[in-house]
Amino acid sequence: MLYNVILSVPIVLLFCVLLYKCLLDFGLSPKSAKHAVLLEEDFDCRAAYPNEWKTFGFALGVRVLVMVAALFCIMIGSNEQVSLWDCLAKLRLWDANHYINLIDKGYSAYQENGEHLFLVFYPCYVWLVRIVKLIIPNTELAGALVSALCFSWGCCWVHKLAFESYDKSVADDAVLFLSVFPFSFFFGTVMTEGLFLLTTAAALYYAHKHKWLAFGIWGAFAALTRMIGILVVLPGVIEFFKSVKPLVVPIKASMKRLAQKAMYIPLLFLPCLGMLGYWLLNYLVDGNPFAYMIHQQHWYQGPMWVTDTLKYIVSYLGRQFQQSMAWAVWLPELILFIVFFAILVLSLRSRKNSSSILAYAFCYLIANYSLSWLLSGGRYLSCGFVFFILLAALVKNRSELRTYVIVVESLFLGIFLFGYVSGTQIM
């Protein structure tokens, strides 16, 4: 009990600071409201956005290099002749194997012991790859191609968001840090990470631009890709109220602005359609819109307060420290939580950091670490693109620290990539 209280204190304090920052952006004081208005007036006066094809090409190039490195690792680790297609098949590990079966068989046919246990995997990626498979008949190749292209396109949205929130150097570094993140190799596998990055980054960008229909559509796809995709609603709501500034006095003027923009409020919750679509899939396949909640028990998954999750991570790390599982799963998850939490805390000092981005980062980190059996923390955090934007802003004008970040990320990317293709429990 005392352990949970002690660990919860910094989390609650951070939440309170973020809440206060949001209230300032909503016009809690005349000074903050004036500052918000100036930001909004200057919004369209920034330098022209550079050619996004350069960002797309860079991101895709990194994915190709990582895939080539993976093939080298497979070839070096094999004692027999291995073809290119055999190498692709060797990447069919962990959840990738389930996604491939869902793509090939569908949700109704892919069962285990007569149960639709794989309804826990959200369908947007599965359906998209099935469409691409009409052109590219090989499932592994079609899935890897979709993942890589979605990642590259997603990096364009990350770059745009960082460019308009900061500048080109921060935007460039954000994409670089994201691309060489130790678990970024998952963006080239048959998993949802590439598509989830694309949909969430696009949703947050359009929320930042206050283009609510585009935000709602991308948000719906995000919610149909992964459970926590629904979190994009939060930055959308924050950006909406930042534009209205309901706490600015006089209240009558605030209410007038709110009435003028009330027509956009339903669009803020358009991402919920993605969640409804997933419930419909559960109903059609298993006769219960919430069947996935039952099937999650098979995977030992369920909600758990973040401090309890950290407690069992530390416990397993201590008990299995001399085993592969500790170094492949528990130690990286513990270190990444500390690092990402520190990035968020340090980012509070700058007024340039948007409250919507900070709030999304906080909720994304806590949501991913509030699971009863967290085995893929590194993979989940690879899609937390806002952290890489915040990190890029923190190391700006700190060339030595920037170099250190790139070297450390690249080093561990190679280590975890080799471990993954070797069959280590990196999932």
Side-chain angles (χ1 to χ4, degrees), residues 252-329:
K252 185 177 180 180
S254 301
M255 293 301 100
K256 182 178 179 181
R257 283 195 301 271
L258 180 59
Q260 291 173 342
K261 297 188 177 184
M263 67 182 73
Y264 299 117
I265 293 179
L267 298 179
L268 299 178
F269 299 97
L270 198 57
C272 296
L273 289 179
M275 183 174 61
L276 293 175
Y278 178 60
W279 290 350
L280 177 61
L281 172 68
N282 277 259
Y283 177 77
L284 294 176
V285 173
D286 223 9
N288 180 359
F290 307 111
Y292 68 97
M293 299 179 68
I294 300 173
H295 298 315
Q296 281 177 344
Q297 298 174 12
H298 172 82
W299 306 96
Y300 304 102
Q301 287 287 9
M304 175 179 284
W305 178 234
V306 59
T307 57
D308 290 322
T309 301
L310 293 173
K311 183 177 180 180
Y312 78 66
I313 287 176
V314 172
S315 175
Y316 279 113
L317 176 60
R319 282 187 283 172
Q320 302 177 354
F321 195 73
Q322 294 182 322
Q323 301 176 25
S324 171
M325 190 75 170
W327 294 81
V329 178

Side-chain angles (χ1 to χ4, degrees), residues 112-425:
E112 185 174 304
N113 298 324
E115 295 184 273
H116 298 105
L117 299 177
F118 307 99
L119 274 171
V120 297
F121 296 95
Y122 276 55
C124 191
Y125 177 76
V126 173
W127 294 341
L128 180 58
V129 177
R130 295 190 83 172
I131 293 173
V132 175
K133 196 181 171 186
L134 298 176
I135 304 173
I136 304 174
N138 183 278
T139 306
E140 286 90 341
L141 184 58
L145 182 62
V146 168
S147 295
L149 292 179
C150 285
F151 168 79
S152 303
W153 192 9
C155 282
C156 293
W157 296 111
V158 174
H159 195 273
K160 283 184 177 181
L161 180 60
F163 179 83
E164 296 191 358
S165 300
Y166 303 92
D167 54 38
K168 187 176 184 300
S169 64
V170 172
D172 290 343
D173 282 347
V175 173
L176 175 60
F177 295 158
L178 173 61
S179 298
V180 298
F181 182 63
F183 293 88
S184 63
F185 60 84
F186 282 111
F187 288 120
T189 60
V190 189
M191 293 192 196
T192 60
E193 272 54 48
L195 180 61
F196 190 65
L197 173 72
L198 168 62
T199 53
T200 52
L204 260 68
Y205 173 77
Y206 281 118
H208 178 73
K209 295 285 284 185
H210 301 168
K211 295 185 177 180
W212 305 119
L213 178 59
F215 158 76
I217 293 173
W218 280 108
F221 284 123
L224 196 59
T225 302
R226 275 185 58 190
M227 180 182 295
I228 60 172
I230 197 65
L231 287 179
V232 298
V233 170
L234 177 63
V237 170
I238 292 175
E239 286 294 334
F240 176 79
F241 281 106
K242 281 171 64 176
S243 69
V244 174
K245 301 178 188 63
L247 300 182
V248 173
V249 292
I251 299 297
K252 185 177 180 180
S254 301
M255 293 301 100
K256 182 178 179 181
R257 283 195 301 271
L258 180 59
Q260 291 173 342
K261 297 188 177 184
M263 67 182 73
Y264 299 117
I265 293 179
L267 298 179
L268 299 178
F269 299 97
L270 198 57
C272 296
L273 289 179
M275 183 174 61
L276 293 175
Y278 178 60
W279 290 350
L280 177 61
L281 172 68
N282 277 259
Y283 177 77
L284 294 176
V285 173
D286 223 9
N288 180 359
F290 307 111
Y292 68 97
M293 299 179 68
I294 300 173
H295 298 315
Q296 281 177 344
Q297 298 174 12
H298 172 82
W299 306 96
Y300 304 102
Q301 287 287 9
M304 175 179 284
W305 178 234
V306 59
T307 57
D308 290 322
T309 301
L310 293 173
K311 183 177 180 180
Y312 78 66
I313 287 176
V314 172
S315 175
Y316 279 113
L317 176 60
R319 282 187 283 172
Q320 302 177 354
F321 195 73
Q322 294 182 322
Q323 301 176 25
S324 171
M325 190 75 170
W327 294 81
V329 178
W330 309 124
L331 183 59
E333 287 185 343
L334 180 61
I335 293 175
L336 286 174
F337 181 86
I338 296 172
V339 170
F340 277 52
F341 193 85
I343 291 173
L344 188 52
V345 171
L346 293 173
S347 298
L348 291 174
R349 298 181 302 172
S350 174
R351 292 181 66 183
K352 290 194 68 175
N353 295 322
S354 168
S355 56
S356 61
I357 287 179
L358 292 171
Y360 179 76
F362 173 80
C363 291
Y364 188 86
L365 179 62
I366 299 303
N368 279 298
Y369 272 76
S370 296
L371 295 173
S372 58
W373 188 235
L374 181 64
L375 297 178
S376 306
R379 173 159 67 93
Y380 297 159
L381 290 182
S382 66
C383 297
F385 63 92
V386 288
F387 287 97
F388 300 99
I389 295 177
L390 296 174
L391 176 60
L394 287 172
V395 303
K396 185 182 179 182
N397 301 324
R398 296 180 174 91
S399 58
E400 291 186 1
L401 182 57
R402 175 181 179 274
T403 301
Y404 177 77
V405 170
I406 295 172
V407 170
V408 171
E409 279 198 317
S410 301
L411 173 64
F412 282 97
L413 171 58
I415 292 173
F416 283 107
L417 174 63
F418 181 79
Y420 178 76
V421 298
S422 300
T424 304
Q425 289 178 303

Side-chain angles (χ1 to χ4, degrees), residues 7-142:
L7 280 185
S8 296
V9 168
I11 297 174
V12 173
L13 287 177
L14 180 56
F15 171 80
C16 292
V17 173
L18 289 172
L19 179 60
Y20 178 68
K21 185 174 178 62
C22 288
L23 292 176
L24 289 178
D25 285 339
F26 296 166
L28 182 62
S29 71
K31 183 179 178 180
S32 63
K34 181 180 178 182
H35 175 68
V37 172
L38 288 175
L39 284 178
E40 204 166 285
E41 289 174 351
D42 292 340
F43 188 79
D44 293 326
C45 299
R46 298 181 182 275
Y49 182 73
N51 189 347
E52 64 182 276
W53 282 108
K54 292 182 179 179
T55 304
F56 183 90
F58 171 80
L60 184 60
V62 173
R63 294 276 63 80
V64 172
L65 287 175
V66 171
M67 179 58 70
V68 171
L71 296 180
F72 264 96
C73 292
I74 293 172
M75 296 298 288
I76 291 173
S78 177
N79 294 321
E80 54 188 26
Q81 290 184 350
V82 181
S83 67
L84 176 62
W85 301 113
D86 292 334
C87 289
L88 286 174
K90 285 183 176 292
L91 295 174
R92 188 171 178 161
L93 299 169
W94 312 116
D95 286 353
N97 185 59
H98 299 312
Y99 279 111
I100 289 172
N101 284 326
L102 285 171
I103 294 165
D104 289 338
K105 300 178 182 179
Y107 281 91
S108 296
Y110 187 33
Q111 303 177 29
E112 185 174 304
N113 298 324
E115 295 184 273
H116 298 105
L117 299 177
F118 307 99
L119 274 171
V120 297
F121 296 95
Y122 276 55
C124 191
Y125 177 76
V126 173
W127 294 341
L128 180 58
V129 177
R130 295 190 83 172
I131 293 173
V132 175
K133 196 181 171 186
L134 298 176
I135 304 173
I136 304 174
N138 183 278
T139 306
E140 286 90 341
L141 184 58

